Amino acid sequence: MSKQTYRISDLANELDITTRAIRFYEEQGLLSPTRRGQERIYSAKDRVALKLILRGKRIGFSLAECKTLIELYDPQAGNQKQLNIMLGMIAERRQQLEQQLLDIQQMQLELDTAEERCRSALQALQEKR
């Protein structure tokens, strides 16, 4: 029984990313294809890892965080440890986003105040004329 393998172009087309991005993730130690001469041969595990990287990037995980999740990938064990750690990372990311949202709202208030002061100053100057 043959295990499913993928060429770099197969993964790039399927996941709508560049082959250069895939090679970058390989250089970072996130993927480990085998070689057949110059050709890279990716396993089903590499494909899953690449999907995890892309999903992680979309939700704001660093490559180091993605690497942690990939290293914990163990379908034989049901991925319980990986899933629990990912839940913790999601909670942490959500908290960061909530703080950023509060920071943005505070900045908007400060911009509103600065804008109002500028408009008032301009109006006062126009009234002096």
Side-chain angles (χ1 to χ4, degrees), residues 9-124:
S9 58
D10 297 334
L11 292 176
N13 290 332
E14 176 187 348
L15 301 172
D16 196 27
I17 59 172
T18 64
T19 56
R20 184 176 179 187
I22 295 172
R23 286 191 296 274
F24 173 76
Y25 297 137
E26 182 183 340
E27 289 167 11
Q28 299 302 307
L30 298 165
L31 303 172
S32 52
T34 57
R35 297 273 186 162
R36 187 182 310 139
Q38 290 294 323
E39 186 180 20
R40 291 170 167 86
I41 307 297
Y42 295 88
S43 67
K45 184 176 180 177
D46 289 319
R47 182 174 170 268
V48 169
L50 195 49
K51 285 181 158 187
L52 275 172
I53 293 165
L54 297 174
R55 183 179 304 132
K57 279 183 52 183
R58 281 193 306 272
I59 58 178
F61 289 171
S62 68
L63 285 182
E65 290 169 318
C66 291
K67 186 172 186 173
T68 297
L69 292 173
I70 290 165
E71 289 170 349
L72 293 170
Y73 178 71
D74 183 8
Q76 281 77 30
N79 292 314
Q80 183 174 352
K81 186 174 183 181
Q82 180 194 45
L83 293 170
N84 283 324
I85 288 177
M86 187 166 181
L87 282 173
M89 291 166 68
I90 288 169
E92 185 176 313
R93 182 67 180 135
R94 188 179 306 275
Q95 186 177 13
Q96 290 170 348
L97 288 172
E98 288 169 358
Q99 183 59 54
Q100 286 176 333
L101 184 57
L102 291 172
D103 292 344
I104 289 168
Q105 290 168 340
Q106 181 62 41
M107 190 178 294
Q108 286 175 321
L109 290 173
E110 290 175 18
L111 287 169
D112 290 345
T113 301
E115 181 182 33
E116 184 55 39
R117 286 182 181 160
C118 287
R119 291 190 188 285
S120 294
L122 281 172
Q123 187 171 358

